[in-house]
Amino acid sequence: MENNVSHALHILEEPVQYMALGFMALMYIIKISQMLKKPVPPEKAELKGDRVAGAFESLLNVLKPWSMESTRKNPFFYVEFMIFHIGVALTIGATFLIPLVPVVMTPVVSKVFMLFMGLAFLIGLRRIYRRLTVPEIRIISSPDDFFAITLMTVFFAVGFIAMSLWIQGSPDTGWMWVFFLMTTFFLLYVPFSKISHYVLYPFGRINFGRTFGGRGVMNKNVKNPSWNPK
Amino acid sequence: MSEQADRLGAGDERKWPTKSEFTPEMLKEMEKLLPGKLNRVVAASLSGCIHCGMCSDACHYSVSIPEDKTLVPAYKADRFRKWYKSKYDWLGQIFPSFVGAHKLDKELADDMYDKLWGACTMCRRCTFNCPMGVDYGMLVRAARGLMQQVGRVPQHLQDTVDTHHNSGNNMAVPRDEFIETMEWIEEELQDEEGCENFKIPVDKKGAQYFLTLNPREPKYYPLTIQASAKVLNAAGVDFTISSRYWDLTNYALFNGYDPDAKEFSMWQVEDVKRLGCEYLLAGECGHGYRSLRWELPNWVGGVPFKITSMMELLAKLVQQRRLKLDKSVWKGHRFTYHDSCNIARSGGIMEEPRIIINAATDDFVEMEHNRENSYCCGGGGGALAMPEFTPRRIAAGKIKADEIKATGADIVLQSCHNCTDQLKEIIEHYHIKAKVMNLAELLAPALVI
Ligand code: SF4
Ligand code: SF4
């Protein structure tokens, strides 16, 4: 099966989306360069561990739920987090795969995408509920936090419906239009929103890994007999 | 000795102009100072929080005082972050309330004062539980530095720094009094059986180790100096104590004022060079260790000697079998160990204390959270020098008290003077039957000489 979309939708899917993508990339470049311009605190102390190994280990933190007590103690929260973020990647990925390589989006692949979209939608609902009802989360939540999670949750739902119609052989639907319009909006809005946290993630993690890797607090298996008492 | 050589500290009788209220002028000044505090770690920590709340259970304040939700780490950091966002966040500049940004006004500044001086010990436990790597140690220190520079700093904490600046140590112990104290402790040590030839060398040139002390030791806890000296003598360690810059504390780590932090560090560096020692040896003091070992080389731009600590040295002596210990001395006692945040989480010393403890006792029980996961006792970040926040400090120590109680230990070991004082207070407050000791005090009675 190969679905095709109308010329109008194609314009939204391709040139418009590319322009939005270009805008997002430009904003990210500015954001990253602003951060890179900030001075890095020096480290002139004799190291006990390895700052580079620490930075790598810290960057992979997201894949190691056992490395932090907060994820160790909440495996359910971590699983939710993973599914949600895979859902994000697949949903955005779908908006590129559909116009560019529709042949890839077979019913089986589409169903896998839908599965994650559906789960991410449910998780999104739970996250909204948590933000509203858990006092220590509500107290730190800004309208942007609510808007971001609501937007994502709606995005998953729309994507899910558009994909299910896609599988049934109706690619050019109102839902698909909304799906792509939302993607375009995302690309334009995300650099200004908390959703762009993934651009800052490497900075925070590398800072952490360099500091505590160098001090021998993490990556303790780095061999350095001058300090390791074992 | 010339008068110049004898004079310690900056000698200018500085009294930092502290203020009891934020004024519009002070806020304006803070606005001017903010960009200078934004290094990459601080900036990433201010912009990187996603309000996920995963740090909420990591903080001893929020865990011990669950009814006060404003004590969760992200809320506290947001007092600073709101201001930052109003200036640097793209949306925050246009729609501040949408992203939780807020211009710096008196109300926000007051809140910042309350939360970042009085409800955070910069222990970084939340940092270790934050998926984004938000560094609360650096973030809070930057905020404190901004407030301190305009005079809004807890009086007693600033007095401690001023005293250090003015007299070379934070308790204004005069040089002659210090030398006399060392001589007296040496005599006491020599009165102990088998210690007749033990010495506390002062200003010995070319000694291998330059031992530093917390001023509370010569002032209030001379027995800890005696214990340390006994252990070092028993192991044949070549050490000395300077009569000049022996104070390893650096409360400018807590008030965030870098010029003082640098100045205190520089004095010590010059003193180690004066005596030509191979190692600068941090005594048992948490923030002092971190200040010397990890911050001093950065504050002064590198040092031509090595820096180590009593914990590391004692562990080495145990491993090299240079200390003969009789465990039976401590029979009938159960021990636990509190990891000071600046020693473990921010300092990387986690196994050394356990090597020392296991060499001296067979009954050692870990607390539920230990090593880099240890909860702060509540005495860090200069908290003990901020009496206006004492009730909250004691309340925040509940989680640590509960964990101590659960071990059934009657002796709580630690390696930090701020921890000592806080642990003693919470032990009393929460009715725990235990006493607090440092590691040298554990080893000294068990020595077979
Ligand atoms: S640094 Fe420590 S005291 Fe401060 S918010 Fe984090 S966990 Fe709490
Ligand atoms: S865990 Fe980190 S990102 Fe999450 S709320 Fe706490 S500081 Fe912010």
Side-chain angles (χ1 to χ4, degrees):
Chain A
M1 177 198 79
E2 186 174 336
N3 282 327
N4 283 305
V5 295
S6 70
H7 184 64
L9 183 52
H10 201 81
I11 290 173
L12 174 62
E13 284 174 351
E14 294 225 31
V16 173
Q17 200 147 320
Y18 288 159
M19 278 192 289
L21 192 64
F23 174 78
M24 182 174 86
L26 180 67
M27 290 300 113
Y28 281 167
I29 289 169
I30 295 171
K31 221 174 202 179
I32 291 168
S33 64
Q34 281 180 343
M35 194 56 84
L36 286 174
K37 270 193 218 147
K38 302 265 185 276
V40 181
E43 183 55 283
K44 293 191 180 293
E46 187 192 2
L47 299 179
K48 280 186 167 184
D50 189 326
R51 276 162 71 82
V52 177
F56 275 116
E57 194 178 321
S58 174
L59 275 170
L60 295 177
N61 180 64
V62 63
L63 301 174
K64 297 182 295 179
W66 58 88
S67 67
M68 295 194 306
E69 185 184 84
S70 52
T71 39
R72 235 183 355 251
K73 278 192 172 168
N74 298 303
F76 183 67
F77 193 85
Y78 178 78
V79 172
E80 272 189 1
F81 157 84
M82 284 309 274
I83 293 173
F84 186 87
H85 283 82
I86 293 170
V88 173
L90 293 184
T91 310
I92 293 173
T95 65
F96 285 90
L97 292 174
I98 288 171
L100 290 178
V101 269
V103 68
V104 173
M105 298 303 281
T106 61
V108 174
V109 172
S110 299
K111 278 178 187 161
V112 172
F113 275 51
M114 283 173 61
L115 174 70
F116 277 96
M117 287 176 186
L119 288 172
F121 168 72
L122 295 175
I123 293 165
L125 288 180
R126 209 187 83 81
R127 292 280 166 105
I128 295 169
Y129 178 75
R130 176 174 173 264
R131 242 183 224 292
L132 284 167
T133 56
V134 178
E136 54 265 43
I137 307 298
R138 201 178 52 217
I139 199 171
I140 57 174
S141 298
S142 65
D144 181 37
D145 293 320
F146 283 108
F147 184 64
I149 186 70
T150 308
L151 195 65
M152 290 307 302
T153 306
V154 172
F155 187 48
F156 294 135
V158 170
F160 184 91
I161 297 167
M163 290 288 293
S164 70
L165 294 171
W166 163 271
I167 296 176
Q168 291 163 33
S170 312
D172 203 343
T173 58
W175 287 104
M176 194 60 91
W177 272 88
V178 176
F179 189 34
F180 279 89
L181 274 170
M182 282 191 82
T183 310
T184 308
F185 175 73
F186 259 123
L187 297 175
L188 297 174
Y189 168 68
V190 160
F192 304 96
S193 140
K194 72 169 277 194
I195 302 172
S196 64
H197 63 274
Y198 54 86
V199 175
L200 296 166
Y201 177 85
F203 286 99
R205 292 305 333 163
I206 289 171
N207 291 339
F208 180 93
R210 281 156 59 101
T211 304
F212 299 104
R215 294 182 185 191
V217 184
M218 52 190 305
N219 62 293
K220 288 181 200 146
N221 49 0
V222 169
K223 283 197 176 58
N224 183 354
S226 70
W227 69 270
N228 191 344
K230 278 189 180 154
Chain B
M1 206 178 295
S2 75
E3 201 191 310
Q4 182 65 27
D6 206 27
R7 206 183 69 194
L8 298 178
D12 56 3
E13 291 310 312
R14 184 187 77 190
K15 180 109 182 87
W16 196 264
T18 55
K19 306 277 165 42
S20 57
E21 290 284 332
F22 282 106
T23 62
E25 293 71 36
M26 287 159 71
L27 301 181
K28 229 183 250 166
E29 183 63 20
M30 283 170 71
E31 297 276 7
K32 268 195 237 153
L33 294 168
L34 176 63
K37 290 283 180 190
L38 299 177
N39 64 30
R40 200 179 295 169
V41 177
V42 176
S45 297
L46 283 166
S47 42
C49 177
I50 48 171
H51 290 158
C52 65
M54 286 173 76
C55 53
S56 303
D57 293 339
C59 177
H60 60 289
Y61 283 99
S62 51
V63 173
S64 296
I65 316 171
E67 62 279 12
D68 186 351
K69 301 299 176 204
T70 68
L71 295 176
V72 298
Y75 182 89
K76 293 184 279 191
D78 272 3
R79 301 311 94 194
F80 183 14
R81 192 172 283 124
K82 280 175 174 292
W83 171 31
Y84 169 85
K85 280 189 171 180
S86 75
K87 294 186 70 101
Y88 294 98
D89 186 283
W90 292 338
L91 263 190
Q93 293 170 54
I94 312 166
F95 306 114
S97 50
F98 184 68
V99 292
H102 201 287
K103 69 175 181 14
L104 184 67
D105 57 16
K106 186 173 178 312
E107 198 184 335
L108 183 63
D110 284 342
D111 224 7
M112 199 159 120
Y113 181 93
D114 179 64
K115 294 295 181 296
L116 302 186
W117 290 110
C120 177
T121 52
M122 299 145 90
C123 76
R124 285 172 156 165
R125 196 171 189 278
C126 51
T127 300
F128 275 67
N129 283 288
C130 169
M132 295 297 289
V134 169
D135 189 337
Y136 278 69
M138 294 286 269
L139 181 152
V140 173
R141 187 169 187 272
R144 287 184 176 192
L146 290 163
M147 292 187 274
Q148 188 273 350
Q149 269 177 273
V150 299
R152 196 76 181 100
V153 49
Q155 185 65 52
H156 188 63
L157 175 65
Q158 186 57 45
D159 287 347
T160 308
V161 177
D162 284 345
T163 305
H164 200 151
H165 171 86
N166 295 336
S167 60
N169 65 75
N170 79 28
M171 285 197 169
V173 181
R175 194 175 178 195
D176 50 357
E177 187 185 312
F178 180 76
I179 294 170
E180 266 172 40
T181 306
M182 290 306 117
E183 287 169 353
W184 167 69
I185 296 171
E186 187 181 69
E187 282 166 24
E188 292 291 309
L189 176 61
Q190 288 171 351
D191 284 346
E192 286 191 48
E193 201 184 321
C195 303
E196 298 77 16
N197 298 319
F198 285 7
K199 298 253 182 271
I200 301 183
V202 174
D203 289 336
K204 181 183 166 193
K205 292 218 164 162
Q208 193 179 15
Y209 291 94
F210 180 107
L211 174 62
T212 51
L213 305 171
N214 184 304
R216 282 202 191 92
E217 296 180 90
K219 272 280 193 196
Y220 308 120
Y221 300 107
L223 289 180
T224 64
I225 304 176
Q226 191 172 324
S228 303
K230 184 175 174 182
V231 177
L232 294 178
N233 273 277
V237 174
D238 178 20
F239 75 102
T240 189
I241 297 176
S242 168
S243 65
R244 293 176 62 78
Y245 294 106
W246 48 267
D247 177 1
L248 85 164
T249 67
N250 197 330
Y251 275 66
L253 180 71
F254 299 144
N255 81 351
Y257 189 54
D258 285 335
D260 278 351
K262 260 184 208 173
E263 179 182 59
F264 305 161
S265 301
M266 199 46 106
W267 289 337
Q268 208 134 40
V269 169
E270 290 306 320
D271 215 19
V272 179
K273 288 204 268 187
R274 173 179 71 91
L275 295 181
C277 299
E278 188 184 341
Y279 286 91
L280 171 54
L281 175 61
E284 293 192 58
C285 170
H287 92 277
Y289 163 73
R290 180 179 145 205
S291 300
L292 294 191
R293 178 66 178 83
W294 294 112
E295 314 298 346
L296 175 146
N298 300 323
W299 284 328
V300 304
V303 291
F305 46 78
K306 294 177 189 162
I307 306 173
T308 188
S309 66
M310 276 296 271
M311 290 82 74
E312 288 159 301
L313 177 59
L314 294 179
K316 199 161 96 179
L317 297 176
V318 166
Q319 290 189 314
Q320 292 174 343
R321 301 189 192 290
R322 287 166 67 183
L323 293 171
K324 229 174 138 193
L325 298 162
D326 175 10
K327 289 184 175 182
S328 70
V329 170
W330 293 115
K331 213 168 173 342
H333 292 283
R334 170 171 289 182
F335 294 85
T336 188
Y337 176 74
H338 161 66
D339 289 272
S340 147
C341 310
N342 282 316
I343 291 171
R345 205 163 23 249
S346 281
I349 295 188
M350 283 166 280
E351 299 313 320
E352 291 87 341
R354 278 129 187 122
I355 290 169
I356 298 163
I357 296 163
N358 285 316
T361 173
D362 284 325
D363 195 356
F364 171 55
V365 183
E366 291 281 10
M367 284 185 228
E368 184 187 342
H369 296 91
N370 54 68
R371 299 176 170 84
E372 70 268 42
N373 295 316
S374 170
Y375 274 104
C376 175
C377 62
L384 284 149
M386 303 179 210
E388 56 270 54
F389 298 114
T390 297
R392 198 190 271 158
R393 166 170 63 80
I394 300 295
K398 184 171 183 303
I399 179 74
K400 181 56 67 176
D402 288 347
E403 292 202 359
I404 292 171
K405 214 182 265 179
T407 64
D410 64 333
I411 299 182
V412 183
L413 296 165
Q414 46 63 47
S415 222
C416 165
H417 274 273
N418 283 324
C419 297
T420 302
D421 290 356
Q422 168 76 352
L423 290 170
K424 282 182 176 172
E425 281 194 55
I426 62 172
I427 277 173
E428 196 188 319
H429 183 86
Y430 294 102
H431 312 294
I432 302 168
K433 285 196 179 67
K435 70 179 214 173
V436 182
M437 276 176 21
N438 74 7
L439 296 177
E441 287 174 310
L442 167 76
L443 293 184
L447 283 171
V448 179
I449 300 168

